[in-house]
């Protein structure tokens, strides 16, 4: 067997067998297959796709490319993962909510790439927060406090780390077999017993329409079931950013506000839906509507916010920033973006907002770029809002004046304002359970 033959097979749209897939994953992870050969195969997979069997084999090979955590001593660990989005601060809010029900949260999260944000960059906006714990510290934290969230620093699914970085630079991200294997290999390696997936759908997501999102969800659920990890997929709307804040410390501040009861409607709906299924899978409540009420109760009685502080402090984060969010460093320039006409906001393209946020320094254009935690966007008006000409639509938070002006202009153009209101958008599009 050699890599040229494997590339040629997929190039010619033939099915790869288990041994061929394993050969590729093992030898690429070890450095025996060059990036240019892996790039050729990945692009052939992107173009010609993979069937269920091939995707499952790819996932399992990637999961076994490194260590597999055994978290069985912690009880039923329910993991959650999103396929990516803009303003997606769900993990920051949901992890402590779930832990407040004594359901262990042991989660490995990623950094942002391209126009989508990443939980680890957001957590690092909290001064002192350590994302690179050892396995022992990670498990110890979950045992002691019921929660720990770390970066991809352990030797878990190293094949995904390499393949994800490669896909990003060769424009091979939006592919059902490649996304499914990337996410599910990490979930299997990280040792969760049950999985809830937030499959985002819309212009700010990798899946642009519902049909593709459904196919992705079904593929991941199928892999989860085969790996004996019950999996539920919630397809959510990502046609506009989630919540008000886009940018790292701005999203931490929005998360704190949420846990103190100040909730944007779209974030609330997504949190309640995902959270209720996590509670159900953990065996702590079979009724989804009742679980939603229980979540609201743990926010109201302060338990979720207390858990957030315990979690952050156990990983070295300075909790005084959560108690007084005014302590977060502010961007040098905070510029309002004004409505050019009166009417209703009918569109606020999530991908374009994500690109503006990235241009401001909240994300990386090159992989080695340094993040500026304090920059980003606050969206005062979202789709459906009635606005008057001259009213403030949003604020740009930037450290450079000319960049602030340039990006404010861009954001103004992203807002589409029409005379008539469109139908109210749905935040939860479908559940595949
Ligand atoms: N998130 C992942 O972890 N992998 C993908 O391929 C897409 C989103």
């Amino acid at each position: 067997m050699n890599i040229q033959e494997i590339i040629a097979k997929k190039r010619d749209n033939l099915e790869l067998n288990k041994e061929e897939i394993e050969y590729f994953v093992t030898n690429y992870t070890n450095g025996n297959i060059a990036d240019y050969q892996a790039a050729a195969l990945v692009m052939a997979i992107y173009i010609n796709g993979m069937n269920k069997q091939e995707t499952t084999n790819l996932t399992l090979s990637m999961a076994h490319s490194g260590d597999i955590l055994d978290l069985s001593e912690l009880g039923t660990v329910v993991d959650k993962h999103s396929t990516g989005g803009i303003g997606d601060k769900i993990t920051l809010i949901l992890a402590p909510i779930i832990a407040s029900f004594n359901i262990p949260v042991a989660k490995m999260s990623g950094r942002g790439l391209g126009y989508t944000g990443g939980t680890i960059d957001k957590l690092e906006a909290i001064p002192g927060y350590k994302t690179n714990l050892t396995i022992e510290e990670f498990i110890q934290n979950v045992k002691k406090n019921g929660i720990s969230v770390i970066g991809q620093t352990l030797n878990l699914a190293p094949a995904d780390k390499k393949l994800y970085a490669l896909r990003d630079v060769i424009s091979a991200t939006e592919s059902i077999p490649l996304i499914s294997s990337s996410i599910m290999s990490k979930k299997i390696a990280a040792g969760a017993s049950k999985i809830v997936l937030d499959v985002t759908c819309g212009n700010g997501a990798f899946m642009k329409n519902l049909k593709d999102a459904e196919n992705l969800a079904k593929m991941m659920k199928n892999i989860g079931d085969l790996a004996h990890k019950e999996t539920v997929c919630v397809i959510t709307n990502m046609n506009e950013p989630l919540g008000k804040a886009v940018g790292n410390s701005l999203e931490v501040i929005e998360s704190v506000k949420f846990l103190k009861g100040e909730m944007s409607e779209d974030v609330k709906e997504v949190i309640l839906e995902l959270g209720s299924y996590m509670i159900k899978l953990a065996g702590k409540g079979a009724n989804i509507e009742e679980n939603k009420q229980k979540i609201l109760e743990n926010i109201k009685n302060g338990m979720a916010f207390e858990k957030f502080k315990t979690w952050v402090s156990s990983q070295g984060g300075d909790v005084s920033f959560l108690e007084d969010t005014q302590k977060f460093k502010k961007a040098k320039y905070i510029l309002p973006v004004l409505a050019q006409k009166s009417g209703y906001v009918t569109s606020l393209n999530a991908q374009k907002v994500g690109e503006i946020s990235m241009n401001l320094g909240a994300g990386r254009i090159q992989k080695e770029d340094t993040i500026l935690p304090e920059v980003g966007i606050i969206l005062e008006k979202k789709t459906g809002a009635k606005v008057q000409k001259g009213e403030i639509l949003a604020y740009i938070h930037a450290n450079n004046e000319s960049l602030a002006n340039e990006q404010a202009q861009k954001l103004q153009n992203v807002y589409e304002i029409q005379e008539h209101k469109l139908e109210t958008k749905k935040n939860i599009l479908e559940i595949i359970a």
Side-chain angles (χ1 to χ4, degrees):
M1 201 181 308
N2 65 52
I3 186 65
Q4 287 93 324
E5 282 167 13
I6 297 172
I7 296 169
K9 244 180 127 177
K10 199 31 87 185
R11 178 200 64 199
D12 297 339
N13 203 8
L14 298 171
E15 181 176 340
L16 299 181
N17 62 37
K18 188 165 179 261
E19 290 70 36
E20 289 162 336
I21 290 172
E22 260 172 28
Y23 176 90
F24 164 65
V25 171
T26 309
N27 285 292
Y28 183 51
T29 310
N30 293 343
N32 295 333
I33 290 176
D35 273 337
Y36 52 81
Q37 291 172 309
L41 181 59
V42 166
M43 191 52 82
I45 295 172
Y46 182 91
I47 293 168
N48 289 325
M50 273 185 151
N51 63 25
K52 251 191 212 172
Q53 190 59 56
E54 288 175 293
T55 309
T56 305
N57 287 336
L58 179 61
T59 307
L60 296 177
S61 293
M62 287 166 68
H64 287 92
S65 63
D67 300 330
I68 302 259
L69 282 189
D70 179 1
L71 300 181
S72 52
E73 58 173 319
L74 301 175
T76 304
V77 176
V78 184
D79 204 348
K80 168 259 160 199
H81 199 91
S82 157
T83 57
I86 322 298
D88 185 347
K89 67 271 305 167
I90 295 297
T91 294
L92 297 189
I93 301 169
L94 194 51
I97 289 176
I98 294 302
S100 76
F101 288 95
N102 293 324
I103 299 168
V105 175
K107 182 159 171 50
M108 188 175 64
S109 285
R111 293 191 182 279
L113 269 183
Y115 55 83
T116 65
T119 301
I120 289 303
D121 296 327
K122 295 171 203 191
L123 285 169
E124 283 180 351
I126 304 170
Y129 189 95
K130 263 173 48 189
T131 57
N132 58 340
L133 305 185
T134 62
I135 292 198
E136 291 72 26
E137 288 170 323
F138 177 58
I139 293 185
Q140 201 44 44
N141 274 2
V142 182
K143 276 191 183 160
K144 186 159 171 242
N145 305 311
I147 181 165
S148 186
V149 180
I150 55 168
Q152 249 182 297
T153 45
L154 306 179
N155 185 33
L156 300 178
D160 174 60
K161 217 172 171 181
K162 277 188 95 170
L163 282 168
Y164 192 74
L166 181 73
R167 284 165 56 209
D168 189 51
V169 292
I170 62 167
S171 295
T173 308
E174 297 98 337
S175 146
I176 290 177
L178 296 174
I179 296 175
S180 307
S181 52
S182 164
I183 292 180
M184 295 307 285
S185 63
K186 284 190 288 247
K187 298 297 98 181
I188 292 171
S193 10
K194 316 242 175 173
I195 303 163
V196 174
L197 297 171
D198 179 359
V199 180
T200 52
C201 172
N203 59 48
F206 294 131
M207 295 295 111
K208 307 291 181 201
N209 61 61
L210 190 57
K211 192 87 224 116
D212 287 344
E214 279 172 348
N215 286 337
L216 174 62
K218 285 178 189 158
M219 182 66 90
M220 292 195 288
K221 179 165 170 50
N222 184 262
I223 296 170
D225 292 345
L226 286 173
H228 306 292
K229 294 179 188 292
E230 192 181 351
T231 302
V232 171
C233 298
V234 179
I235 303 182
T236 61
N237 193 331
M238 190 47 74
N239 272 322
E240 71 172 348
L242 203 50
K244 285 180 77 169
V246 181
N248 298 290
S249 56
L250 297 175
E251 291 189 47
V252 173
I253 295 168
E254 186 178 7
S255 303
V256 168
K257 285 185 181 163
F258 188 102
L259 290 169
K260 287 183 162 179
E262 192 183 324
M263 311 174 192
S264 298
E265 197 47 41
D266 54 355
V267 180
K268 182 175 163 187
E269 273 189 50
V270 174
I271 288 285
L272 292 182
E273 204 68 44
L274 293 170
S276 295
Y277 276 97
M278 291 177 82
I279 293 172
K280 184 175 177 186
L281 291 191
K284 299 245 174 174
N287 184 307
I288 293 298
E289 290 314 309
E290 279 174 24
N291 291 350
K292 289 183 184 173
Q293 292 312 314
K294 289 189 215 162
I295 292 174
L296 290 171
E297 186 51 38
N298 274 15
I299 293 171
K300 205 165 162 206
N301 63 25
M303 281 171 70
F305 185 55
E306 275 311 307
K307 201 42 118 174
F308 190 29
K309 290 196 287 183
T310 308
W311 158 33
V312 166
S313 112
S314 73
Q315 292 193 223
D318 185 344
V319 175
S320 69
F321 280 74
L322 307 182
E323 284 162 345
D324 175 12
T325 55
Q326 292 295 330
K327 284 184 79 174
F328 278 100
K329 185 178 165 195
K330 292 189 179 52
K332 287 203 188 107
Y333 303 93
I334 300 178
L335 224 71
V337 176
L338 306 181
Q340 290 300 89
K341 59 178 180 181
S342 300
Y344 291 91
V345 178
T346 52
S347 167
L348 179 59
N349 184 298
Q351 177 169 346
K352 290 188 182 153
V353 176
E355 283 164 1
I356 292 171
S357 165
M358 186 176 72
N359 294 339
L360 291 168
R364 298 177 189 78
I365 296 175
Q366 310 281 338
K367 264 191 274 303
E368 50 287 346
D369 287 352
T370 311
I371 294 267
L372 300 172
E374 64 276 18
V375 305
I377 302 163
I378 295 290
L379 303 162
E380 294 294 343
K381 302 286 178 192
K382 299 195 43 192
T383 55
K386 189 170 185 200
V387 296
Q388 295 298 324
K389 184 174 177 186
E391 208 178 337
I392 294 172
L393 297 172
Y395 290 96
I396 291 280
H397 290 232
N399 281 349
N400 169 312
E401 197 172 7
S402 66
L403 186 65
N405 282 311
E406 180 190 295
Q407 299 303 315
Q409 184 64 51
K410 274 197 183 160
L411 185 58
Q412 197 169 53
N413 295 334
V414 175
Y415 271 94
E416 281 180 26
I417 298 173
Q418 314 262 346
E419 207 179 314
H420 299 289
K421 192 174 174 173
L422 296 183
E423 241 178 70
T424 312
K425 75 162 182 165
K426 274 176 77 180
N427 295 309
I428 308 297
L429 303 178
E430 200 175 321
I431 315 274
I432 298 187

